[in-house]
Structures are given as C-alpha cells and as structure tokens.
Amino acid sequence: MTGFPHLTNAFLFDLDGTLTDTVYQHVLAWKEALDEEGIALSVWRIHRKIGMSGGLFTNMLLRETGLAIDQDLLDRLRHRHSQAYKRLAAGVVPLPGARDLLDTLTELGLPWAIATSGRMETARPALEKLGVDPARAAVITRDEVEYAKPDPDLFLAAAARIGVDVTSAFVVGDSIWDMIAAKRARALGIGLLSGGYGREELERSGALRVYEDPADMLKHLDEVGGRR
C-alpha cells in the first residue's frame, strides 16, 4: 500500500527502575528522610509511591500518617532524600540490556528520550552510570515541567523535545504511575518488571506489553515496532 506517510516509532523512557536499578536506593533514601523527621512509615508503603513526583509522593505519604502537611516539612523531606540518595548512588548500575537497548534504537534511527520524575540533582548519577549525557541526549526532569507523573507533562515534553507526535510514541516504564501518565498523554505503554510492580498491575494500568527488563524488551523489540 502506498500514499500513506510512514510513522516513525519513538520511545520515551522512565529512568529509575526502567533503565537503572535505582528504585530501592530511592526507597531507602526516603525512609531515611522520614525517619530523620520522626515519621514512621513502612518500607513497602514507600515503594508503592516511587515513580510519582516528589511533591505528590510526600503529600500522599504524609496523608497516610495523618500528620499535618506544611511546605517547610515537604522541603526538608526533599532535601533529606536528595542527600541520602547521593550517598547511596555509588551502588547505582544500569539494568541488564539498558545501554544495548538505547544503542540499538540509535542505530536503527529511532528517536528516544528519557523522562524522569526526579530532579536533575538525583537523576545525574544514574544518567552518568548509564552513559547518557543530558547535554547531548534528550532528558526531561521534574525541574522542567509543572506536574510530574501520574500527570502526562513529562512525556509530552519529552516527545516535543525529540520532535515526535506523542501518539506515535511508546512510553516505557516500571510503575503504574508511568502507565497512567502514558494513557493520559495518549501514548502506548510498555511495562517492565524491573521496578517491583507486577505484570497484572502494569497491564491493568494500561501496559500494552510487559517485559522483565530492558534486555528482555530488546529481544522482543520487533513486537513494538523497533525496526527501520
């Protein structure tokens, strides 16, 4: 069939738990920050919120504790989390296949970007381990949008940065918040199990396909239009 324009697939990646094995460092960093403020909260409750914007994350966690929320406390928690994460970042590594996946997309001429709910101060160590230079690659952080996940702003900004229609893009993420944001952006979602969420949770949140990690996604790249 001729006469129809070819739509180039694009891939918009979350960072933590999707390309880098950093979910649990963030969990422990938030746990430390909360403990330092005398706020007792179970680790599993913290994990269930990883992937949202930091502001919404802390609002929800504090609401679960029944504590009064004020901006000074939120600012202190964010600062304590950032400092704790910097200490834990030495153990950050890319997830299996992450670098190969990005390299393959580049070789195929398929545009990609990274969109993270983290701010650059916490995203930079993971990007460095991944070998991604934000001065040369398309990287959108929380600093650049009004709202982060589960709002679609990060993925809309990432699509605009690489000059593609978001409706022709795949959002690749490890959390339900990524999949909800993808749906709200009208993009197709690809879920990865590498952040700790289950297959059924990701599928219920809108994931079209679910793979174990970037290496598994790379093996099945043809299933999601990963071709010239």
Side-chain angles (χ1 to χ4, degrees), residues 64-161:
E64 289 183 13
T65 67
L67 295 174
I69 300 171
D70 63 73
Q71 191 58 48
D72 286 343
L73 175 57
L74 296 179
D75 289 343
R76 288 200 308 273
L77 283 171
R78 187 166 72 83
H79 176 72
R80 291 184 188 279
H81 164 264
S82 176
Q83 294 304 111
Y85 180 77
K86 286 178 182 177
R87 291 197 304 275
L88 295 167
V92 167
V93 295
L95 282 159
R99 288 177 176 169
D100 289 341
L101 176 57
L102 297 182
D103 287 345
T104 298
L105 294 177
T106 300
E107 290 169 6
L108 291 173
L110 297 175
W112 58 267
I114 294 173
T116 175
S117 289
R119 297 180 185 274
M120 184 55 77
E121 61 182 338
T122 54
R124 190 177 299 279
L127 292 169
E128 289 175 353
K129 294 293 182 68
L130 191 59
V132 172
D133 181 356
R136 301 178 63 183
V139 177
I140 303 293
T141 66
R142 178 67 181 86
D143 311 275
E144 301 173 66
V145 296
E146 185 173 2
Y147 299 108
K149 306 162 195 173
D151 286 282
D153 301 34
L154 282 163
F155 294 125
L156 293 172
R161 178 72 60 85

Side-chain angles (χ1 to χ4, degrees), residues 2-228:
T2 60
F4 293 92
H6 173 66
L7 294 177
T8 299
N9 291 323
F11 294 83
L12 312 176
F13 291 92
D14 170 54
L15 181 62
D16 298 304
T18 299
L19 294 172
T20 55
D21 196 6
T22 43
V23 167
Y24 295 102
Q25 283 92 339
H26 278 293
V27 171
L28 293 174
W30 279 116
K31 176 64 174 169
E32 182 177 322
L34 291 161
D35 285 347
E36 288 177 352
E37 290 290 338
I39 300 170
L41 204 64
S42 300
V43 168
W44 74 268
R45 290 187 181 275
I46 298 172
H47 175 255
R48 300 296 297 178
K49 306 297 187 296
I50 295 294
M52 341 174 104
S53 72
L56 184 57
F57 172 92
T58 48
N59 279 335
M60 291 186 70
L61 289 179
L62 293 176
R63 187 162 60 241
E64 289 183 13
T65 67
L67 295 174
I69 300 171
D70 63 73
Q71 191 58 48
D72 286 343
L73 175 57
L74 296 179
D75 289 343
R76 288 200 308 273
L77 283 171
R78 187 166 72 83
H79 176 72
R80 291 184 188 279
H81 164 264
S82 176
Q83 294 304 111
Y85 180 77
K86 286 178 182 177
R87 291 197 304 275
L88 295 167
V92 167
V93 295
L95 282 159
R99 288 177 176 169
D100 289 341
L101 176 57
L102 297 182
D103 287 345
T104 298
L105 294 177
T106 300
E107 290 169 6
L108 291 173
L110 297 175
W112 58 267
I114 294 173
T116 175
S117 289
R119 297 180 185 274
M120 184 55 77
E121 61 182 338
T122 54
R124 190 177 299 279
L127 292 169
E128 289 175 353
K129 294 293 182 68
L130 191 59
V132 172
D133 181 356
R136 301 178 63 183
V139 177
I140 303 293
T141 66
R142 178 67 181 86
D143 311 275
E144 301 173 66
V145 296
E146 185 173 2
Y147 299 108
K149 306 162 195 173
D151 286 282
D153 301 34
L154 282 163
F155 294 125
L156 293 172
R161 178 72 60 85
I162 58 177
V164 301
D165 186 334
V166 73
T167 60
S168 68
F170 290 96
V171 164
V172 186
D174 66 289
S175 75
I176 61 174
W177 314 113
D178 294 312
M179 298 302 101
I180 293 171
K183 288 176 68 174
R184 295 177 73 180
R186 294 183 297 119
L188 295 173
I190 297 173
L192 301 184
L193 300 175
S194 42
Y197 279 89
R199 180 180 300 274
E200 290 185 359
E201 291 180 290
L202 293 169
E203 289 176 343
R204 283 200 305 271
S205 301
L208 176 70
R209 291 283 188 275
V210 177
Y211 302 108
E212 291 183 0
D213 55 18
D216 189 34
M217 178 179 162
L218 180 56
K219 291 178 185 176
H220 299 88
L221 195 57
D222 60 319
E223 295 179 353
V224 289
R227 58 184 181 274
R228 294 184 189 276

